[in-house]
Amino acid sequence: MKDVETRLFIAGRYVEAAKSARFADIEPATESELAEVSSASADDVNRAAVAAREAADHGPWPRMSAEARANILGRFADGIEKRARELGMLEARDVGKPVAECVNHDVSRAARNIRFFAAVAQTWTHEATQSDAKFLGRDLKLVNLTERPPVGVGAIIIPWNSPLMLGTWNLGPCLAAGNSCVLKPSEMAPLTSIALGEIANEAGIPPGVLNIVPGLGEAGAALASHPNVDAIAFTGGAATGRRVMAACAESLKRVTLELGGKSPNLVFADANLKQTAAGVARSIYRSQGQSCVAGSRLIVESRVASDFLELLKKEISRLKIGDPLQEGTEYGPLISAAHRDRVDSFVTEAVAGGAKLLAGGKAPITPATGFYYLPTLLDEVDPNFRAVSEEIFGPVLTVERFDDEGQAITSANATRYGLAAYVWTSKVDRALRVAERIKTGMVWVNSFFLRDLRTPFGGAKMSGLGRQGGRFSMEFWTEPKLVCIAYGEEEHDG
Ligand code: NAD
């Protein structure tokens, strides 16, 4: 692919990796090489972390007013929007997601993330309290300032499924609070993250404030253990999350982990079944199931189960599967051949164990090229099947049934994960009752993934640690600091 930047971005300049190391970035829809991308070594990560430290300790960014930073970040968001088509196409090619979703949702959300946090940071003001004290025999008054300076240098490590949206979701608060950072995109889809460097320069973000190091897992590991890094926002799988947290323990870095999920869709007989079928289909098959909040377990009330599954099959048959770059496409390929094989292994194993395949379970005949896997519906599953207990991160929906509310909640909670849950019902009291008892960080009622950016995003149990969004992100990216000023009556000599 010509005219696409593939190098590291350090201290405001695109540079080659040491020894010109590169890795191949494969396009999921064509199975061919999209680009050869610079692969950051531990030395390159060190260069980026030194640049970020220099910007944090001696540069203008943390010393500017939040308003001045917001003006620059506003231009950064404008730059993202101005390139919406270009970035959306690039993300569609790199990730395999439909271009309409990339342009209309992910790119516009990326710009919104930046603008939103630039605005929040301006409300993140110092607080002052007054109190009395006695010191060295004098009666004093105290003015206690609670300041909120930036933490310093942030590391942002992201996965491949929504690089623009996830990168900016963390960059927004990190930069708006006055930190500098090193962004490490996934080796599977690094191109749109790399493109942010040029947009940052055009917006006037000072050199060293944003550094970008595409690379393999070793680059992430080098970043997680780097002494210059003060805080890490990690988004990815639970196994990697544990490694990142262990690295943070060594130097007591603060860390937030946004990990995987196995989110239940609870469908009650009193729900509007037609709308619910469309909602459930969207929750699992959007982005081919490669979404942390995918509603991958259907738990449906027995007496409406067969009607509901028929509606769901209709929704599946309506999905437009095809080339992600075609405007009407709703469903593209998976990220890689290895991932498609992994997804298939869960399905094959479940079917061998007695599960019934109601849809999918294989690659489509067309498109013949690309890592496609059909939207899959698996009935008659045993809760002990790996397909039910482990995150597949693919387009596979398993079906369980319940006869009463208590049983529905027990099934929903029978997982190590706790990211999201979806409750479909027309009864408000039921919705509130069930939401209260479900052990997840987020519960959506009669909807999927509708976001007010002020609210907390994150998971319970093995789905993560900490929350992002509004003040939750600002708390993470700032270090509350007390400045206590004592004063008293004027003293007269003699
Ligand atoms: P992954 O854990 O394999 O990789 C994530 C990132 O970590 C990549 O950039 C990778 O290069 C890097 N990495 C690998 N080894 C590392 C190490 N030892 N130290 C530091 N960094 C390292 O995840 P993935 O396959 O890219 O993404 C899929 C996972 O991400 C799924 O589990 C999904 O649920 C999760 N996810 C979570 C959220 C959320 O907000 N909760 C959002 C999107 C994806």
Side-chain angles (χ1 to χ4, degrees):
M1 202 182 181
K2 282 190 190 139
D3 303 329
V4 168
E5 186 53 72
T6 56
R7 291 173 294 170
L8 320 178
F9 183 74
I10 298 178
R13 290 178 49 231
Y14 283 108
V15 292
E16 286 291 346
K19 300 187 199 120
S20 302
R22 295 198 153 239
F23 63 85
D25 179 19
I26 306 296
E27 182 170 11
T30 62
E31 303 187 21
S32 49
E33 189 176 286
L34 183 57
E36 270 211 329
V37 178
S38 289
S39 184
S41 63
D43 283 349
D44 297 315
V45 167
N46 182 52
R47 275 198 288 161
V50 166
R53 183 84 263 161
E54 174 65 23
D57 290 350
H58 305 294
W61 190 249
R63 281 157 276 278
M64 279 180 196
S65 67
E67 187 184 358
R69 280 196 298 268
N71 287 337
I72 296 174
L73 290 171
R75 293 201 293 273
F76 187 45
D78 291 344
I80 292 173
E81 265 168 358
K82 218 167 68 193
R83 287 171 167 83
R85 187 83 208 150
E86 183 193 322
L87 286 171
M89 286 293 272
L90 193 57
E91 185 121 317
R93 291 193 71 177
D94 214 2
V95 181
K97 291 208 299 195
V99 67
E101 189 177 320
C102 292
V103 176
N104 302 333
H105 182 262
D106 290 29
V107 179
S108 77
R109 175 64 196 278
R112 192 172 153 224
N113 283 342
I114 300 291
R115 281 207 186 92
F116 169 76
F117 282 110
V120 174
Q122 292 179 76
T123 66
W124 203 244
T125 50
H126 293 358
E127 282 163 21
T129 58
Q130 260 199 324
S131 48
D132 301 324
K134 243 190 193 334
F135 183 63
L136 300 179
R138 291 180 68 208
D139 289 324
L140 297 174
K141 293 220 171 286
L142 305 179
V143 173
N144 305 289
L145 295 177
T146 302
E147 301 183 349
R148 301 179 191 281
V151 178
V153 173
I156 297 171
I157 303 176
I158 57 169
W160 46 263
N161 60 320
S162 291
L164 269 179
M165 196 172 86
L166 295 169
T168 53
W169 179 233
N170 288 290
L171 279 178
C174 174
L175 298 183
N179 298 285
S180 52
C181 76
V182 181
L183 170 66
K184 152 75 179 83
S186 164
E187 57 274 38
M188 308 297 285
L191 297 180
T192 49
S193 300
I194 296 174
L196 292 178
E198 188 183 357
I199 304 174
N201 275 349
E202 286 170 11
I205 293 179
V209 170
L210 169 62
N211 305 277
I212 305 162
V213 289
L216 309 180
E218 295 80 62
L223 193 53
S225 60
H226 200 287
N228 281 10
V229 170
D230 301 300
I232 301 191
F234 173 82
T235 311
T240 320
R242 276 199 293 269
R243 284 199 284 275
V244 168
M245 196 169 171
C248 291
E250 199 56 40
S251 51
L252 290 181
K253 294 186 200 331
R254 66 171 67 181
V255 61
T256 173
L257 302 174
E258 296 282 2
L259 310 176
K262 195 72 191 170
S263 303
N265 263 299
L266 271 73
V267 177
F268 287 89
D270 58 59
N272 175 330
L273 293 187
K274 201 158 174 275
Q275 277 175 20
T276 300
V280 168
R282 184 151 180 75
S283 81
I284 177 65
Y285 301 124
R286 172 181 168 270
S287 306
Q288 298 80 253
Q290 301 170 130
S291 158
C292 56
V293 289
S296 52
R297 289 184 298 140
L298 171 63
I299 302 173
V300 56
E301 193 161 344
S302 302
R303 64 195 166 95
V304 294
S306 55
D307 288 350
F308 187 72
L309 291 175
E310 284 310 311
L311 289 168
L312 206 48
K313 282 197 275 181
K314 269 194 201 134
E315 292 295 330
I316 291 174
S317 64
R318 269 203 281 269
L319 276 173
K320 294 199 184 73
I321 301 177
D323 179 355
L325 301 185
Q326 290 283 320
E327 222 32 73
T329 298
E330 294 169 325
Y331 185 99
L334 302 189
I335 189 72
S336 67
H339 188 49
R340 182 177 60 185
D341 292 348
R342 183 177 170 275
V343 169
D344 186 57
S345 74
F346 284 99
V347 177
T348 309
E349 193 181 299
V351 171
K356 192 168 159 198
L357 205 49
L358 298 184
K362 58 183 181 207
I365 295 167
T366 55
T369 306
F371 308 124
Y372 289 85
Y373 196 82
L374 287 170
T376 297
L377 188 56
L378 267 183
D379 198 4
E380 295 175 27
V381 291
D382 184 305
N384 296 316
F385 287 170
R386 278 196 322 133
V388 183
S389 61
E390 286 183 26
E391 183 186 42
I392 299 178
F393 212 54
V396 181
L397 181 63
T398 58
V399 185
E400 294 167 77
R401 290 167 176 72
F402 67 87
D403 294 317
D404 60 55
E405 208 176 282
Q407 204 186 349
I409 293 165
T410 303
S411 296
N413 286 335
T415 169
R416 304 180 285 151
Y417 293 101
L419 191 56
Y422 309 96
V423 182
W424 305 89
T425 176
S426 58
K427 293 188 174 161
V428 174
D429 54 348
R430 166 166 281 155
L432 289 172
R433 214 165 41 228
V434 174
E436 199 172 289
R437 292 181 58 197
I438 287 190
K439 293 185 173 57
T440 57
M442 299 166 289
V443 178
W444 275 278
V445 177
N446 296 328
S447 58
F448 162 70
F449 195 44
L450 301 178
R451 295 283 296 124
D452 175 333
L453 303 187
R454 291 169 294 189
T455 59
F457 184 97
K461 302 195 293 196
M462 290 286 285
S463 288
L465 204 65
R467 293 292 182 274
Q468 302 290 314
R471 67 185 168 85
F472 305 95
S473 296
M474 295 308 293
E475 266 159 21
F476 181 76
W477 288 111
T478 53
E479 182 89 81
K481 177 181 189 178
L482 166 71
V483 178
C484 172
I485 305 161
Y487 67 100
E489 290 299 315
E490 192 179 357
E491 288 184 74
H492 299 284
D493 292 335

